[in-house]
Amino acid sequence: MIKNSFKNRVSELKLLNELYESNTSKLIILYGRRRVGKTELLKEFLGTHKGLYILGRQESEFDQIKKISSQIAEFYNDDVLIKNPFTNWDALFLYLSKKPRIPIVFDEFPYLVISSNKVVSILQEYWDNYFSKNKAFIILCGSSINMMEKLLGRKSPIYGRRTEQILLEPMKFRDALLFFPKGSEIKDKVINYSVLGGMPAYLLEFDFSMCLRENILKNILQKNKFLYQDILFSLREELKEPRNYFSILYSLAKGNTRIGHIVNDTGLDKSFVVKYLSVLRDLQLIERKVPITEKNIERSRKGIYTLRDNFLKFWFRFVFENQEYVEQGKQERLIDEKIMPELNSFTGRVFEDVVLSELISRKEYESYIFGKWWDENSEIDIVGLDKSNKKILIGEVKFKRLNEKEISEIKRSLKDVAVKINTFGFKEEFIIVCINSEVESEEIKVLKFFELVKT
């Protein structure tokens, strides 16, 4: 059965449509991690606005130009070009610059740059002299975040020419819901999302007619499966010294979030760890967080590092350290002894971020800035600051059904720690978000998650 590989991305499609329909010159940089759905988004866009799709490949400049000549000749039904392909980039760009306005997409653009580093400066020349004057619509797309961000930098020949840059990010939980069966429980959807994250390519790999255990067993813990191999493949494409980066990512997945802890766990020199963390941040693989009440974010000593992607967390936490189980065909032991007993706890941490994302999108909290708060002794899942109205929202997230006793205990602990957080003297509001509860409280708002995502 062929799966429909394109789902959602409504806002991104709307943006591309509006940019094209503005009928002005556009040079757009669209980039993002591998498997995030860039190509599917572009093909969906081209399905509405018939345009030219050019795919860069890992081959020589000569073969690259020859292949693209063939693609262009086929698109324009040009028999002369079929027999006499372009011999250089100048001829190719000149040809395109004289055609009527259509969307022109260069996918995997970094491969073109690798085959010929002069292609960017040649494109810049033709953009200045032809494309920009003819209302051209060109998208340069790539998965190498490192290289694509260099195209945005001051040293790039097309610096200042690009009209928009779009970083396509993994889907939030609400956007990923279309990948899950409509009748399934919200708790099951959260668990599946905590494992696979928001990468469309990963979400399409699970067969949701099977239970989670079987999906992990058959679609992740098998050497021949895409989900077993892809993390290693993708990281090796981006990183020059993958072994040390793997050690750091594994350390983060185990819960070592501070530089000192990572240094002790990996045995790497602190200067190397700082450098590697910076690279991983640039690649959108990790993020640095500070308590929301910190005034100087960059200089804060309370900063911690966490993995951004759920599947990256899952893979390094459960697969990377246990590859010998897979190599020896002991997947049943791995899933029953190592994965399933810890999966609920693992999901609980992801659930905190899912809830924060949902609260941020709610209209009633649009004046709030949300984040988390922690010190040496306490950690609070939800803190929302509304400085204009001098209000503070303090809350706890629980991936479970809560009873009256549990809610009373959480309410008490939140009020105790509020003294540390609310140094502003703002009006306090308390909230608990859980999977379900029959308890209603006048002193604290109790939100059931399945009701939260319905609105």
Side-chain angles (χ1 to χ4, degrees):
M1 181 179 70
I2 298 175
K3 298 178 181 179
N4 179 10
S5 57
F6 186 82
K7 300 179 189 294
N8 213 308
R9 297 297 190 193
V10 175
S11 60
E12 292 89 346
L13 262 181
K14 181 182 177 184
L15 174 60
L16 289 176
N17 287 330
E18 287 175 351
L19 291 173
Y20 183 67
E21 290 163 6
S22 69
N23 202 33
T24 57
S25 301
K26 296 293 181 185
L27 179 59
I28 301 167
I29 308 290
L30 190 150
Y31 66 116
R33 289 176 52 206
R34 294 188 183 279
R35 322 305 181 203
V36 80
K38 301 180 299 299
T39 297
E40 294 300 326
L41 171 65
L42 291 171
K43 288 184 176 179
E44 190 75 9
F45 167 70
L46 293 177
T48 302
H49 306 282
K50 186 180 178 183
L52 178 60
Y53 176 82
I54 296 170
L55 179 64
R57 305 197 302 183
Q58 291 179 303
E59 55 190 10
S60 69
E61 179 182 16
F62 176 83
D63 288 336
Q64 200 92 252
I65 294 174
K66 183 179 178 182
K67 177 64 178 176
I68 295 173
S69 295
S70 175
Q71 292 175 316
I72 295 173
E74 182 179 354
F75 181 85
Y76 286 109
N77 196 24
D78 189 332
D79 293 334
V80 175
L81 184 57
I82 291 174
K83 296 176 182 177
N84 302 282
F86 304 119
T87 57
N88 54 57
W89 294 111
D90 285 272
L92 190 153
F93 288 132
L94 182 62
Y95 180 94
L96 292 178
S97 71
K98 295 184 179 298
K99 292 294 183 181
R101 184 180 191 262
I102 59 165
I104 301 174
V105 172
F106 290 91
D107 200 359
E108 295 294 359
F109 187 72
Y111 289 151
L112 301 186
V113 179
I114 291 171
S115 71
S116 172
N117 56 18
K118 63 188 177 184
V119 68
V120 181
S121 59
I122 296 173
L123 173 59
Q124 174 245 311
E125 179 185 345
Y126 281 86
W127 177 263
D128 290 348
N129 295 324
Y130 298 96
F131 289 120
S132 64
K133 297 174 181 178
N134 297 333
K135 299 182 179 180
F137 189 90
I138 298 176
I139 300 177
L140 308 180
C141 177
S143 298
S144 174
I145 290 181
N146 210 0
M147 186 173 291
M148 294 303 289
E149 290 194 333
K150 284 181 181 178
L151 290 176
L152 305 175
R154 290 181 178 275
K155 294 182 180 180
S156 169
I158 59 172
Y159 176 75
R161 274 80 176 177
R162 58 103 171 87
T163 56
E164 276 82 21
Q165 61 193 63
I166 302 171
L167 172 61
L168 194 63
E169 303 215 43
M171 290 181 171
K172 302 292 186 184
F173 176 76
R174 182 179 288 265
D175 297 324
L177 286 175
L178 287 177
F179 288 83
F180 305 125
K182 287 185 178 179
S184 58
E185 295 288 332
I186 192 69
K187 185 175 181 179
D188 293 334
K189 293 176 182 178
V190 173
I191 296 174
N192 279 303
Y193 181 76
S194 75
V195 172
L196 296 171
M199 290 295 200
Y202 296 161
L203 289 161
L204 287 165
E205 286 299 305
F206 265 21
D207 178 357
F208 293 108
S209 67
M210 299 192 300
C211 68
L212 178 65
R213 181 186 180 279
E214 290 302 303
N215 261 314
I216 295 174
L217 193 62
K218 294 182 178 180
N219 293 311
I220 298 179
L221 303 181
Q222 303 295 329
K223 289 193 293 183
N224 63 317
K225 289 296 184 177
F226 167 69
L227 289 176
Y228 180 75
Q229 298 285 354
D230 191 62
I231 292 294
L232 289 176
F233 170 80
S234 297
L235 292 177
R236 283 171 179 156
E237 284 275 299
E238 287 281 4
L239 302 169
K240 293 181 180 179
E241 300 169 319
R243 185 175 300 178
N244 289 336
Y245 286 102
F246 290 168
S247 295
I248 291 174
L249 291 168
Y250 175 43
S251 185
L252 289 168
K254 289 188 292 183
N256 297 302
T257 59
R258 298 181 184 273
I259 290 177
H261 296 160
I262 298 168
V263 169
N264 292 336
D265 186 52
T266 61
L268 295 170
D269 186 87
K270 183 179 178 180
S271 62
F272 286 113
V273 170
V274 171
K275 171 191 168 186
Y276 293 148
L277 288 172
S278 177
V279 172
L280 291 170
R281 284 181 74 186
D282 290 342
L283 294 176
Q284 308 289 322
L285 296 174
I286 69 171
E287 59 186 331
R288 182 177 180 270
K289 298 179 179 179
V290 299
I292 190 172
T293 52
E294 289 293 285
K295 293 180 180 178
N296 194 321
I297 294 174
E298 288 303 319
R299 293 188 178 182
S300 172
R301 295 184 178 182
K302 294 182 179 180
I304 62 173
Y305 293 87
T306 61
L307 297 172
R308 294 188 63 176
D309 178 74
N310 293 350
F311 186 65
L312 198 67
K313 295 176 190 175
F314 179 88
W315 194 89
F316 272 100
R317 176 66 186 85
F318 296 114
V319 182
F320 181 75
E321 69 168 335
N322 297 305
Q323 290 181 78
E324 68 274 12
Y325 282 81
V326 177
E327 296 297 324
Q328 296 174 31
K330 297 177 180 178
Q331 289 92 337
E332 296 271 358
R333 280 190 58 194
L334 171 57
I335 195 165
D336 291 332
E337 296 176 12
K338 303 269 188 180
I339 299 177
M340 298 308 292
E342 295 187 41
L343 194 56
N344 210 59
S345 173
F346 175 83
T347 301
R349 302 298 293 183
V350 175
F351 186 53
E352 294 172 11
D353 294 328
V354 169
V355 169
L356 265 179
S357 177
E358 286 297 319
L359 290 176
I360 289 169
S361 66
R362 287 177 73 87
K363 190 172 182 179
E364 64 190 281
Y365 296 125
E366 62 184 359
S367 60
Y368 286 78
I369 299 297
F370 279 96
K372 297 185 179 185
W373 180 92
W374 59 87
D375 63 8
E376 293 78 9
N377 305 309
S378 310
E379 181 179 345
I380 300 300
D381 302 329
I382 300 169
V383 178
L385 295 176
D386 179 357
K387 293 186 177 180
S388 59
N389 296 303
K390 296 185 177 181
K391 295 192 292 186
I392 183 170
L393 181 70
I394 302 172
E396 186 81 4
V397 177
K398 291 294 181 183
F399 187 63
K400 60 185 291 189
R401 183 188 185 95
L402 294 178
N403 58 38
E404 187 172 356
K405 181 182 177 182
E406 290 169 323
I407 287 175
S408 295
E409 290 174 353
I410 293 170
K411 178 178 66 178
R412 199 160 41 244
S413 67
L414 287 177
K415 289 188 174 182
D416 288 343
V417 81
V419 178
K420 296 182 182 180
I421 303 173
N422 189 13
T423 57
F424 317 96
F426 287 178
K427 181 182 177 182
E428 296 172 355
E429 182 182 352
F430 298 95
I431 186 173
I432 297 173
V433 182
C434 56
I435 287 294
N436 204 349
S437 176
E438 299 301 323
V439 181
E440 301 291 339
S441 173
E442 294 182 0
E443 295 184 65
I444 187 168
K445 182 185 288 187
V446 180
L447 273 177
K448 302 162 196 172
F449 184 68
F450 71 89
E451 293 180 343
L452 184 65
V453 295
K454 278 198 299 187
T455 57

